[in-house]
Amino acid sequence: MDLVVTTMGSLFEETVGSSEAGGFISLVGLAVGEKIQTAYLASNGASQLDRKGMIEALLDMKRRIGSDFYVVEESEQRIVLGNKRCPFGELAKKCPSLCMLTANVCGHLAAESQGYARVDLPETIAAGASECRIVINLEPDPSGGGRRYHRRAWA
């Protein structure tokens, strides 16, 4: 499966460019995030994941796909996750837009749980770092970078 996703991402990047490929992969990430959230809510018998449940869901889901995620920092303002192993391996370096899957899954689950999230990926294995850093900011900051996510109005 990893080979299929990575090949698809690489072909998108080669055909339409990195930005457009990232946009498409972002949509895939949002859809995956919704499915993961639904599964974890059903298994917990809850209508919304609390903060602890959201973090556990992210770590569990990432472990299931072959990553090695762990909590670096947790505060009221943000959660910082590290990752020692990319599920796409060295192939991710050929398709760095696949990092949008991680950003969107993390952003979607955090926003649905906490109401808001802004996700930054300051370091990624795909960009040559030894580990990934995923910063999930939980308080709005208009001057901050990253991708912003909000809880769905109908949730």
Side-chain angles (χ1 to χ4, degrees):
M1 181 63 149
D2 293 347
L3 181 60
V4 171
V5 172
T6 306
T7 301
M8 180 183 70
S10 296
L11 287 172
F12 276 136
E13 285 192 9
E14 291 170 12
T15 305
V16 298
S18 185
S19 179
E20 287 78 8
F24 175 77
I25 292 170
S26 290
L27 292 173
V28 173
L30 287 172
V32 169
E34 286 183 13
K35 290 187 183 305
I36 290 167
Q37 179 189 5
T38 299
Y40 279 96
L41 289 173
S43 71
N44 290 331
S47 62
Q48 182 175 324
L49 293 174
D50 63 14
R51 183 188 186 98
K52 182 180 176 195
M54 178 264 299
I55 293 170
E56 288 174 3
L58 285 171
L59 296 176
D60 179 57
M61 181 269 308
K62 292 298 184 179
R63 278 188 203 108
R64 289 178 190 223
I65 63 168
S67 295
D68 188 10
F69 271 64
Y70 60 96
V71 177
V72 174
E73 173 189 333
E74 181 184 351
S75 69
E76 290 298 314
Q77 294 80 29
R78 70 186 197 157
I79 299 162
V80 180
L81 301 176
N83 179 31
K84 298 176 188 173
R85 184 177 53 246
C86 178
F88 304 111
E90 289 297 311
L91 297 173
K93 293 179 181 177
K94 295 178 183 176
C95 186
S97 62
L98 287 172
C99 295
M100 294 310 306
L101 284 170
T102 295
N104 283 333
V105 169
C106 291
H108 176 77
L109 286 176
E112 291 300 317
S113 168
Q114 304 298 301
Y116 171 85
R118 181 173 46 85
V119 178
D120 293 302
L121 303 175
E123 299 173 30
T124 64
I125 294 169
S130 61
E131 292 189 9
C132 295
R133 277 291 179 261
I134 299 89
V135 180
I136 305 169
N137 297 284
L138 302 173
E139 294 183 351
D141 177 2
S143 64
R147 300 181 65 85
R148 290 168 174 75
Y149 304 84
H150 298 271
R151 181 180 292 141
R152 293 172 297 176
W154 63 84

